[in-house]
């Protein structure tokens, strides 16, 4: 994840050059998370936020605090000081943000975030779940973490993922992570809808200015400067998705996508095309 | 919680510590659960199972073991407390527990899996629209919910936060109807072959066929002839309002379509008014 480190350094350098405002007091809690979805453009979104003078994004890479189960053993108080040590706000940076895209998928995370800070704001960026699954598999294949072909990995996902029980499977959950409605309902069980901002991943490419204006208004920060689209899905695929995998995903996600459209008032016809 | 010197809840007359509370008690594990859905006909199904000679059901109607967080506060779970609900003198081949909140309660499937990964799960699914109304009627009748139905479902997400960090047992009228998520969580822990999912209507309208499937699933002898039973028919104050039905049809339309696709069901009636 050196990309994240580079972006952090770049952001700090750029801010150092332009930002001469009075220093802000250090916030006592992390104020927002970019909670997912994995392969949904969270890194690109974080890269814009790195450059914002009022925002401090923690960690040179994903922090993975609320999904690290051993940190939350029953009867113990989580080491929030260690979490806070991952943030190093400078200058006018007055809001701390944690971009760890597994949070929305990891079942215990929402409760842990709520216990830490019930006023937390959550940004979620959603991508076509079929494209997300294929992107996820391509990443694991490139990292040599999954030897199986995509369609086979999908068809055997439930059985394979039982290897991680009682936890969810962090690597092979290609289809399971795409059931966004249940993940959103779990977030809304803990947090009022007004504390959440649900974005469509494709808008990072097609309408980044509007998307970032929404983010700025949601976080209560000054508008972003001029915005250029950034490469969101950087990995090249060796081969396109096969038809059988595409049909399979369409079958399992069609009504999920329809539900999401209705729940959010979105048009996802591009996901169903 | 049962005190160690109190009578054992299994009805043996012995003290708990000398009976099921004994740390040396050999345990027959519970082999299946009727895990939901609430208002889906689980009590009627349990009433048939009580009469089956190979099945041992608990001494109370709903055990509520896997959704009671206190049982799981320590890393060493005392399953003797669970087994104490079953009378060992009956020597039944299979023990079963009918507690319909299990499928909804987030923490329950992992706990069931940790207890017995070979557990079989029976799930009765009812039209989530009428299920919600039936639950509200029950809570209203018990004096547990003063709000009118439509207001209760429109404010459910906010109201249910009173129970945080837990799910809300009473006001979860809509939330309990998202069966697909609940099934996916169950299948995360248990192979599909260890689960049997039926429509509530199957048990209601064709109990013999439904019970035959259940007997085969559990590996027990077929049930004697079974007449339809309506165990919990409560009078409603009135029918669901058109507005509430429209709201819920909107919320559940694609959930229902998704179930149809998953199970090859036809649930067209669930979306019709008056169904």
């Amino acid at each position: 994840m050196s990309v994240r480190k580079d972006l952090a350094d770049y952001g700090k350098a750029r801010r150092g050059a332009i930002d001469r405002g009075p220093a802000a007091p250090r916030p006592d809690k992390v104020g927002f998370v970019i909670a997912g979805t994995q392969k949904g453009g969270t890194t690109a979104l974080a890269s814009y936020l790195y450059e914002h003078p009022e925002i401090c994004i923690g960690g040179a890479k994903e922090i993975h605090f609320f999904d690290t189960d051993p940190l939350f053993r029953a009867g113990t108080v989580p080491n929030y000081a260690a979490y806070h040590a991952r943030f190093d706000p400078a200058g006018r940076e007055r809001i701390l943000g944690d971009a760890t895209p597994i949070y929305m998928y990891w079942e215990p995370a929402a409760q842990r975030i709520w216990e830490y800070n019930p006023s937390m704001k959550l940004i979620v960026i959603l991508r076509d779940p079929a494209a997300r699954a294929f992107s996820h598999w391509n990443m694991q294949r490139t990292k040599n973490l999954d030897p199986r072909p995509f369609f086979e990995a999908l068809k055997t996902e439930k059985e394979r993922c039982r290897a991680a029980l009682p936890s969810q499977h962090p690597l092979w959950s290609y289809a399971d992570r795409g059931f966004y409605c249940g993940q959103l309902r779990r977030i809304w069980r803990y947090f009022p809808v007004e504390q959440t901002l649900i974005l469509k991943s494709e808008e990072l490419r097609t309408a980044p200015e509007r998307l970032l204006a929404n983010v700025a208004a949601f976080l209560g920060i000054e508008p972003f400067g001029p915005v250029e689209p950034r490469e969101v899905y950087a990995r090249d695929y060796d081969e396109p998705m096969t038809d059988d995998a595409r049909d399979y995903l369409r079958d399992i996600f069609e009504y999920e996508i329809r539900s999401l459209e209705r729940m959010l008032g979105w048009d996802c016809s591009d996901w169903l095309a | 919680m049962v005190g160690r010197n109190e009578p054992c809840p299994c009805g043996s007359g012995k003290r708990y510590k000398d009976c099921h509370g004994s740390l040396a008690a050999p345990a027959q594990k519970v082999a299946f659960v009727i895990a939901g859905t609430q208002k889906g006909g689980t009590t009627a199904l349990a009433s048939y199972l009580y009469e089956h000679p190979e099945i041992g059901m608990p001494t109370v109607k709903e055990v509520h073991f896997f959704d009671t967080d206190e049982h799981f506060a320590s890393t060493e779970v005392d399953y003797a407390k669970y087994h104490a609900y079953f009378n060992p003198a009956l020597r039944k081949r299979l023990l079963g527990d009918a507690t319909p909140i299990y499928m909804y309660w987030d923490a329950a499937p992992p706990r069931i899996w940790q207890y017995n990964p070979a557990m079989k799960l029976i799930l009765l699914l009812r039209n989530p629209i009428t299920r919600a109304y039936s639950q509200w009627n029950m809570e209203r009748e018990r004096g547990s919910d003063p709000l009118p139905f439509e207001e209760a479902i429109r404010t459910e997400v906010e109201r249910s936060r009173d129970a945080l960090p837990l799910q809300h047992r009473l006001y979860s009228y809509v939330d309990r109807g998202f069966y697909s998520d609940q099934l996916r969580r169950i299948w995360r822990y248990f192979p599909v072959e260890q689960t049997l999912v039926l429509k509530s209507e199957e048990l209601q309208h064709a109990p013999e066929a439904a019970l035959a499937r259940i007997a085969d699933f559990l590996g027990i002898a077929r049930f004697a002839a079974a007449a339809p039973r309506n165990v919990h028919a409560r009078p409603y104050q009135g029918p669901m309002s058109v507005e509430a039905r429209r709201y819920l049809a909107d919320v559940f339309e694609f959930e229902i379509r998704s179930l149809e696709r998953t199970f090859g069901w036809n649930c067209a009636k669930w979306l019709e008014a008056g169904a």
Side-chain angles (χ1 to χ4, degrees):
Chain A
M1 279 291 170
S2 62
V3 175
R4 296 279 295 261
K5 180 79 174 74
D6 293 346
L7 287 166
D9 293 346
Y10 170 74
K12 282 203 190 302
R14 202 176 139 191
R15 273 199 309 276
I18 58 173
D19 179 28
R20 296 276 181 252
R26 186 186 165 100
D28 48 333
K29 280 191 179 169
V30 176
F32 73 95
V33 290
I34 300 175
T37 181
Q38 185 209 40
K39 313 311 294 176
T42 56
T43 302
L45 178 59
S47 79
Y48 289 112
L49 285 160
Y50 273 121
E51 292 168 23
H52 195 287
E54 293 173 86
I55 297 291
C56 168
I57 297 285
K61 53 180 190 167
E62 297 170 6
I63 294 181
H64 284 286
F65 183 68
F66 295 108
D67 60 308
T68 302
D69 297 343
L71 300 176
F72 295 87
R73 277 199 200 89
T76 66
V77 178
N79 187 350
Y80 295 133
Y83 182 44
H84 293 157
R86 307 294 299 276
F87 298 84
D88 182 22
R92 290 169 56 214
E93 293 174 344
R94 60 184 184 86
I95 300 175
L96 310 182
D98 167 2
T100 304
I102 202 174
Y103 287 164
M104 78 175 292
Y105 176 63
W106 204 250
E107 285 191 351
Q111 179 178 332
R112 292 168 182 170
I113 293 170
W114 176 79
E115 281 167 350
Y116 164 71
N117 181 10
S119 302
M120 185 74 88
K121 292 183 176 181
L122 296 98
I123 299 174
V124 165
I125 183 157
L126 301 181
R127 179 180 180 186
D128 169 10
R132 197 218 69 78
F134 191 54
S135 174
H136 182 178
W137 174 81
N138 268 285
M139 177 177 77
Q140 305 305 29
R141 194 186 51 83
T142 308
K143 292 178 175 174
N144 285 320
L145 293 173
D146 194 342
R148 298 208 190 179
F150 183 54
F151 187 40
E152 193 190 326
L154 288 175
K155 284 188 297 180
T156 57
E157 179 177 320
K158 276 193 180 70
E159 292 74 30
R160 295 177 91 197
C161 285
R162 289 200 190 104
L165 287 180
S167 292
Q168 292 158 279
H169 205 295
L171 303 181
W172 298 337
S173 41
Y174 306 120
D176 201 40
R177 289 200 196 213
F179 293 100
Y180 302 136
C181 292
Q183 298 171 42
L184 292 175
R185 273 194 297 270
R186 188 168 54 239
I187 287 172
W188 290 329
R189 182 182 296 160
Y190 294 92
F191 301 95
V193 174
E194 308 80 60
Q195 271 172 240
T196 63
L197 179 67
I198 318 299
L199 303 168
K200 204 171 165 211
S201 184
E202 290 76 6
E203 286 197 358
L204 270 177
R205 266 179 308 193
T206 59
E209 296 214 21
R210 187 175 65 195
L211 183 141
L212 289 172
N214 283 340
V215 171
F218 172 69
L219 294 176
I221 54 176
E222 58 199 52
F224 286 79
V227 173
E228 283 162 36
R230 275 179 201 170
E231 193 54 65
V232 182
Y233 314 122
R235 224 175 274 274
D236 282 328
Y237 300 153
D238 287 345
E239 292 181 20
M241 203 189 305
T242 56
D243 287 345
D244 46 8
R246 191 178 302 281
D247 292 346
Y248 175 87
L249 290 170
R250 159 125 195 166
D251 204 58
I252 63 169
F253 284 130
E254 181 180 354
Y255 295 123
E256 175 70 23
I257 292 169
R258 294 276 184 228
S259 288
L260 196 72
E261 284 184 308
R262 185 161 289 177
M263 200 159 82
L264 300 171
W266 281 10
D267 174 2
C268 296
S269 46
D270 53 331
W271 295 3
L272 291 162
Chain B
M1 292 271 189
V2 188
R4 311 259 326 140
N5 286 310
E6 287 171 31
C8 188
C10 78
S12 64
K14 294 185 200 164
R15 287 184 298 185
Y16 176 63
K17 71 177 181 187
D18 297 325
C19 189
H20 281 87
S22 162
L23 299 173
Q28 177 187 7
K29 277 191 184 175
V30 175
F32 71 93
V33 288
I34 301 172
T37 182
Q38 185 208 41
K39 314 311 294 175
T42 57
T43 304
L45 175 56
S47 80
Y48 292 112
L49 288 163
Y50 269 103
E51 293 164 16
H52 194 288
E54 294 173 75
I55 298 292
M57 296 295 282
T59 51
V60 296
K61 192 166 88 85
E62 296 178 8
V63 175
H64 283 286
F65 186 75
F66 295 108
D67 59 307
T68 300
D69 294 347
E70 298 91 85
H71 293 323
F72 300 88
S74 114
T75 45
E76 275 303 300
V77 180
D78 182 6
Y79 294 118
K81 289 195 175 108
Y82 186 36
H83 297 144
Y85 288 99
F86 299 85
N87 184 347
L90 296 178
R91 295 178 190 282
K92 299 291 189 178
R93 207 158 74 71
L94 290 182
L95 302 182
D97 164 9
T99 304
I101 202 173
Y102 287 163
M103 81 174 291
Y104 176 61
W105 204 249
D106 275 356
R111 290 169 178 170
I112 295 171
W113 176 79
Q114 254 145 358
Y115 165 70
N116 181 10
M119 186 74 89
K120 291 185 176 179
L121 297 99
I122 300 173
L123 304 149
L124 288 171
L125 303 187
R126 175 178 178 183
N127 179 355
I129 299 170
T130 55
R131 198 216 68 78
Y133 193 57
S134 174
Q135 185 188 350
W136 174 81
N137 266 285
M138 177 176 74
E139 302 306 351
R140 186 189 53 80
E141 202 177 74
R142 290 172 171 173
S144 303
D145 195 342
L147 288 191
F149 182 58
E150 203 185 331
E151 198 183 332
I153 55 177
R154 286 184 186 275
T155 58
E156 175 178 321
V157 175
E158 292 76 25
R159 293 176 95 198
S160 294
R161 288 198 193 107
D162 290 347
L164 286 179
L166 300 178
Q167 291 156 280
H168 206 296
R169 288 173 184 268
L170 304 182
Y171 301 159
S172 40
Y173 308 119
V174 178
D175 205 36
R176 289 196 194 219
F178 294 108
Y179 304 135
S180 297
D181 276 333
Q182 298 168 36
L183 291 168
R184 264 195 301 276
R185 181 149 6 81
I186 286 170
W187 289 329
R188 182 180 298 155
Y189 296 91
F190 302 95
V192 174
E193 310 80 60
Q194 272 171 242
T195 62
L196 179 66
V197 184
L198 300 169
K199 277 165 94 172
S200 294
E201 293 92 317
E202 293 178 52
L203 185 70
Q204 224 181 334
H205 303 318
E208 291 206 34
L211 290 170
R213 287 184 62 195
I214 289 166
D216 295 350
F217 171 69
L218 295 176
I220 55 175
R222 293 282 177 93
F223 288 75
R229 275 173 208 185
N230 213 347
V231 172
H232 260 172
R234 281 165 199 273
Y236 288 173
Q237 203 173 38
M240 199 187 317
S241 70
V242 174
E243 293 74 23
R245 180 177 296 278
R246 195 172 294 144
Y247 174 84
L248 290 175
D250 209 57
V251 166
F252 284 125
E253 179 180 354
F254 298 118
E255 171 67 32
I256 291 170
R257 297 267 179 249
S258 184
L259 291 171
E260 288 183 308
R261 183 167 286 179
T262 302
F263 295 108
W265 289 351
N266 178 348
C267 297
K269 283 210 165 69
W270 289 9
L271 289 163
E272 283 170 13

